[in-house]
Amino acid sequence: FLYFPETHGISFRIQISVKELLDTDVLLKLLFHLPVNYPSSLPDISVDSVQLTRAQCTDVKDKLLEQAKKHRSEPMVHDLILWVQQHLKDVIKQSAMVCNEKTTLSKGAEDGIWMLLLHLDHMRAKAKYVKTVEKWASDLRLTGRLMFMGKIILILLQGDRSSIKEYLILQKTSKVDVDSSGKKCKEKMMSVLCETEVQSQHKRFQMFEVKEYSTPEELQKEFETAGLKTLFSEFVPPLLK
């Protein structure tokens, strides 16, 4: 929408979609308020997005204002929109790095090892699916567990961040299972419960293993042995309900 109060300049809202990591689209809502003496005065900008945290939205806004200063006294809104489409990924990455700096300082030698916890809804072609996951983990040098407990299926992985990202892409884009009519299909019912840097209190898994647990307590014990008690209590109980 647009409105033009004579004394207040112009305000308008623009919604853009930006291709993000792993090809998910990030929908950004940008609100520009152009003062009466724009472009010699800079616009007010606000950024909103369901997919980003408040801190990330603020980072995007700050970066846009920095760009705006470079274009002072020339029309800039179009340039700013192009800029955010090209640089959103970097801003979000930097934003994530700032969050992790606090933890990285205390970590030292374990630099750059990441951990991923995935939840799968079901496996129809279980034997084939398990083989595929084992092969990917081995090819990408990832360690961890594929865990079955009742109907719950979890994949916990540790390894280089780039390998973790690569794994996620494989998991989302390969035909790993079959649908109800037996046709090969991609994994559509996977959720990423957690993706984080491995901390010093977490134990490293030495290999990748497939395990079945008969009770939630057994599953919990597996997490606790690996120093991942908090990870378990935050993400697994909701799945047990």
Side-chain angles (χ1 to χ4, degrees):
F1 67 89
L2 271 174
Y3 52 94
F4 298 83
E6 290 309 309
T7 49
H8 300 301
I10 306 173
S11 290
F12 57 93
R13 207 181 284 271
I14 291 178
Q15 192 158 304
I16 57 169
S17 160
V18 184
K19 273 266 178 276
E20 232 311 276
L21 304 162
L22 295 177
D23 294 337
T24 46
D25 289 353
V26 172
L27 211 57
L28 280 188
K29 291 175 185 160
L30 305 173
L31 179 65
F32 289 94
H33 175 75
L34 310 184
V36 180
N37 49 355
Y38 167 85
S40 47
S41 291
L42 296 178
D44 271 337
I45 303 171
S46 72
V47 177
D48 188 28
S49 172
V50 178
Q51 288 112 318
L52 302 183
T53 62
R54 195 170 289 172
Q56 286 171 327
C57 286
T58 307
D59 283 348
V60 173
K61 174 187 146 171
D62 292 346
K63 289 279 186 287
L64 277 171
L65 288 170
E66 271 174 37
Q67 289 304 309
K69 283 176 191 157
K70 296 178 186 172
H71 292 283
R72 194 191 289 273
S73 77
E74 53 188 85
M76 64 186 81
V77 173
H78 181 64
D79 290 325
L80 294 179
I81 290 165
L82 287 179
W83 186 89
V84 81
Q85 285 175 316
Q86 287 162 357
H87 295 90
L88 182 68
K89 237 183 236 187
D90 306 328
V91 177
I92 291 173
K93 263 193 211 145
Q94 275 179 332
S95 192
M97 277 157 72
V98 173
C99 294
N100 290 323
E101 257 166 29
K102 296 183 191 75
T103 51
T104 312
L105 293 173
S106 59
K107 238 174 52 291
E110 282 293 8
D111 207 26
I113 298 296
W114 280 68
M115 176 164 61
L116 179 70
L117 180 62
L118 301 174
H119 173 240
L120 301 182
D121 189 70
H122 60 271
M123 283 184 181
R124 283 201 177 89
K126 186 173 171 182
K128 175 185 172 283
Y129 204 134
V130 170
K131 256 206 181 79
T132 307
V133 171
E134 285 181 309
K135 182 181 185 316
W136 288 342
S138 147
D139 290 350
L140 293 165
R141 298 206 180 113
L142 296 170
T143 60
R145 300 281 183 270
L146 168 52
M147 304 181 266
F148 294 94
M149 205 283 309
K151 287 188 170 172
I152 292 173
I153 308 166
L154 296 169
I155 301 177
L156 180 60
L157 296 168
Q158 292 178 344
D160 290 341
R161 189 168 193 192
S162 56
S163 304
I164 294 264
K165 291 272 179 230
E166 185 75 18
Y167 180 91
L168 266 176
I169 292 169
L170 286 168
Q171 180 83 54
K172 286 181 178 178
T173 56
S174 311
K175 292 189 173 176
V176 279
D177 207 0
V178 295
D179 61 19
S180 50
S181 58
K183 276 205 197 93
K184 287 182 177 179
C185 66
K186 291 179 185 175
E187 177 55 75
K188 292 200 172 67
M189 304 283 282
M190 174 190 85
S191 46
V192 176
L193 299 179
C194 179
E195 185 180 351
T196 181
E197 202 160 359
V198 169
Q199 308 300 315
S200 49
Q201 74 271 23
H202 302 152
K203 297 196 174 53
R204 292 288 310 282
F205 291 110
Q206 296 308 305
M207 55 171 109
F208 184 80
E209 291 179 86
V210 180
K211 287 191 158 187
E212 306 236 358
Y213 308 86
S214 44
T215 63
E217 289 71 29
E218 276 182 25
L219 183 61
Q220 185 169 356
K221 201 167 174 207
E222 178 76 80
F223 276 81
E224 286 178 1
T225 311
L228 300 172
K229 188 177 181 175
T230 338
L231 191 71
F232 179 89
S233 57
E234 196 170 333
F235 296 105
V236 183
L239 306 173
L240 298 167
K241 285 175 183 151

